[in-house]
Amino acid sequence: MAPQSGLARQRTRSAWVFLAPMLFVLAAVALYPLLRTIWFGFTDASLTSFGSARFVGIRNYLEWLDYGDGNGEWLGLLVDGRWWSAVWNTVRFTLVSVTLETIFGMVIALVLNQKFPGRAVVRAAVLIPWAIPTVVSAKMWGWMLHDQFGIINDMLMRVGILSAPVAWTASPDTAMAAVMMVDIWKTTPFMALLILAGLQMIPDDIYEAARLDGVGPVRTFRRITLPLVLPAMLVAVVFRALDALRIFDIVYVLTPNSPETRTMSVFARENLFDYDKFAYGSAASTLLFLIIAMITIGFIYATRMDLSGTRE
Amino acid sequence: MKVQSYLRKAAFYLLLGVIVLQAVFPFYYAILTSLESGQAIFDVNYLPHVFDLSNYKSAFTNGVFGHQILNSIFVATVVVVLSMLLAVTASYSLARIPFKGRALLLLTVLSVSMFPQIAVLSGLFEVIRMMGLFNSLWSLIFSYMIFTLPFTVWVLTTFMRKLPSEIEEAAIMDGAPPLVIVRRVFLPLLWPAMVTTGLLAFIHAWNEFLFALTFLSTDSQRTVPVAIALISGRSEFEIPWGNIMAASVIVTLPLVALVLIFQRKIVSGLTAGAVKG
Amino acid sequence: MATVDLRNVSKSFGSVEVLKDVSLSIEKGEFVAFVGPSGCGKSTLLRLIAGLEEISSGDLMIEGERVNDVLPAKRGVSMVFQSYALYPHMSVYENMAFGLEQAKLKKDEIARRIAEAAHMLQIEGLLERKPKALSGGQRQRVAIGRAITRQPRLFLFDEPLSNLDAALRGETRVEIARLHARLADTTMIYVTHDQVEAMTLADRIVVLNKGRVEQIGEPLELYENPASRFVAGFIGSPKMNFLTGDAARQHGAATLGVRPEDLTLSAEGGLWSGKIALTEALGSDTFVHVDTTLSDKSIVARVSPRERFRHGMPVYLTPAPERLHRFDEEGAPVRG
């Protein structure tokens, strides 16, 4: 009989055989398209002719247009006010939404961590917004926020907060607030569940000890609960922030064409497919990727998150 | 003392009531609206007062909504099955076999799951055109792998790690090669985790919007989120809110049902995916 | 021909060397126990023989064939795990059949072997059950049954009794002894940290300490002639008494060892004087702990339960001179 290979060799070989199909698919669906997107950002590709796209350097990002009379102007993404307002919208949206989601998520998690009759039912009910497709949530809220027939205006006018109906999604002052509202409503459950999972890992006897020491509930929360749940919460915040930075669906459905809510993703897609500025849109996509990657690395570094999964 | 504790209890249940109400109300209101038609829609109601199914009837008789639901079911199911097939063996390798570069690989997989979809959109568009998949449901099945595959690999890896190593060693002693270990020993033990992961991947795929909006161009090929987003009237004042709400309720009900039934499993999958188990 | 032959086997995990230059030969049909404190490398040694860990250097021969690189299942080895490691989703029958199916045996041959093993272990009534519906002792039998059906040349046990409660442990120990008697041709290696299990079951014992073999020998040989202070202290219960200082120097040793049963206790007179700190009456024997000036630890002596010694009594201890164990500074025995 031919000499057999050792167990370790057999297993290492199988590992790569097992991984190969997944790695191939990921390369085809993520790596290659990403590289192509970056490439298109340096070409003059258009929607109909990306096969014959030519390299144009950094013209999509920055270009000096000379008028020929000694004057000229800078063009390109890096000096495009619309792009930077989209960046600012995205960052603003992310900061506000994630902060509020964390606070509300914490409140809901603390409530769900109590023992009360019907807790399972309440937990299921809280999950409902998370299960509703984003597009559907945007439509539902769009209807509830309707300026003439919306129930929100009706409610607020009945209790006397508003004297006249507000065009929530159309008015520049409130459009971003409307988008945030839908996002917070939809994703707070996710936050709450992750924080709840963290809360449930805190052993009861720690609270017992604090109670015996006469520590009040507020101090208990600040000195015991919060520090212990913080790692789980940070992970949740990172995941949510990354998700929020690429927001597209809600804006597209709830407040189309509103400059106040145009986010990076919306800006990129508009250029790619609506304005036939495929190369310009690709450049925007590339910048968005860089921004998100930088924020991610910064986050991982700041929180020293262990993502490798090697530590048990 | 006693009064104080009653007050505290009342405040707690009030808060609980608010939490439940805000979570459930929009969906409740969508159902309410979907059951009204004609002029009734434009009167704000808090309680149901009519029961009119005409919006539902027209959703299924006018146009291709039924077909679009089938599209969504087809895409989400095939995506789940394919990513499971690819993920089970891959996560076995990542969870169970020590080899050089494993930590890096796991990190790569995780970072792909955080990829902004828009960053690959133009490249993917080219790939899909090249493969001749534009306006085909297979374009979605292919492109959805970018989020379902890393997600399932990641979650199954965390679950797979928790299985006792002696069981695997017993199988090795019994002469089972890796593929047999996965199929005959680990797979049956992983069923609960697979249900969880599959469910979450299904929901992700069912809800996806950006790719579906971009890679499909005709009404009969579209999936429901896009279909709902694109329902419009001739003008701002003719938006058929009743139809939109009926369609919304139809696509959401199965999801809400799934969530209510598999609540515990979903929570365990979500937390395993994010916080390492 | 020896069933198992280890030649200068070493094993490292990274920079940590857990087994150092182990050489060992096990004869066909022998029952050998690996004992030692936790972390001594005994389980690693067993896993090397099983093929679950790779050998860093040295040779492992099974029936004359070098098997360093042979897959576990091709070594003709069966293993019983500490946690039994039954497949939870398979019935008892399927658990026992799994390995045979992998070996591509015919269905009727599988059925025959399982029936035989089930009969031997009296688990015929359990074949359709899932492991969760079995008691700890039954699971243990199924695990052994699964190992038997493969008709191995070599049987490996990894602390198989440590998950059982005390009463069941004694019973199962007897059963393993019977199994060994019945499968006279099958070599068995048994890992345990419990020297009583090793003493009662094994034909020979391998004592390991910090990755090295301290001594190999028959149980009584280890007991009578320990090759090191470590072995002397590890084998035997209660433990051997160790004295250092003057008492040892008088006998030409750095450490003097004397087993409890080799001490005579007397109220009148003897070699060493002391005071009784504690008596443990077990019925068959009484162990008397005596505080002396010779050692900070009490010296334990075994006396007949008929003798009455009370707490606080001044007593004298006299060791049987021919039964003294003498060790030098390194813990090696002093000869002559």
Side-chain angles (χ1 to χ4, degrees), chain C residues 72-89:
Chain C
K74 308 264 180 187
R75 296 185 180 193
V77 169
S78 283
M79 186 151 166
V80 176
F81 291 87
Q82 185 172 2
S83 65
Y84 323 134
L86 298 176
Y87 310 121
H89 55 291

Side-chain angles (χ1 to χ4, degrees), chain A residues 11 14-15 18 36-37 120 123 131 133 143 149 154-155 185 242 246 249 269 282 288 308-309 311-312, chain B residues 22 29 33 42 46 92-93 96 106 114-115 118-119 122-123 126 161 168 178 207 209 214 255 259 263 276:
Chain A
R11 285 166 67 78
S14 310
F18 285 177
R36 288 303 281 180
T37 300
R123 199 162 59 172
W143 171 234
F149 319 116
D154 185 77
M155 269 184 215
W185 176 76
L242 290 174
R246 55 194 180 192
D249 308 15
R269 194 185 179 281
S282 295
L288 173 142
S308 65
R311 199 183 63 194
E312 284 303 314
Chain B
Q22 63 83 27
Y29 191 63
T33 306
F42 301 115
Y46 291 83
Y92 171 78
S93 303
R96 286 297 182 159
L106 212 52
M114 296 180 180
F115 250 43
I118 197 89
S122 52
E126 185 201 18
R161 278 221 182 95
E168 188 184 0
N207 292 355
F209 180 64
T214 308
L255 296 190
V259 167
Q263 193 224 123
K276 291 192 303 117

Side-chain angles (χ1 to χ4, degrees), chain B residues 166 169 171 173-175 184, chain C residues 47 73 81 83 87 89 101 150:
Chain B
E166 283 203 341
E169 288 173 352
M173 295 304 294
D174 271 344
R184 299 267 319 262
Chain C
R47 291 165 61 82
F81 291 87
S83 65
Y87 310 121
H89 55 291
E101 286 166 20
R150 298 190 48 224

Side-chain angles (χ1 to χ4, degrees), chain C residues 106-125:
Chain C
K106 291 216 176 65
K107 271 222 156 62
D108 46 341
E109 171 67 7
I110 294 176
R112 195 186 61 73
R113 285 201 195 177
I114 292 175
E116 200 177 302
H119 178 72
M120 188 192 294
L121 294 162
Q122 295 163 345
I123 49 172
E124 288 124 313

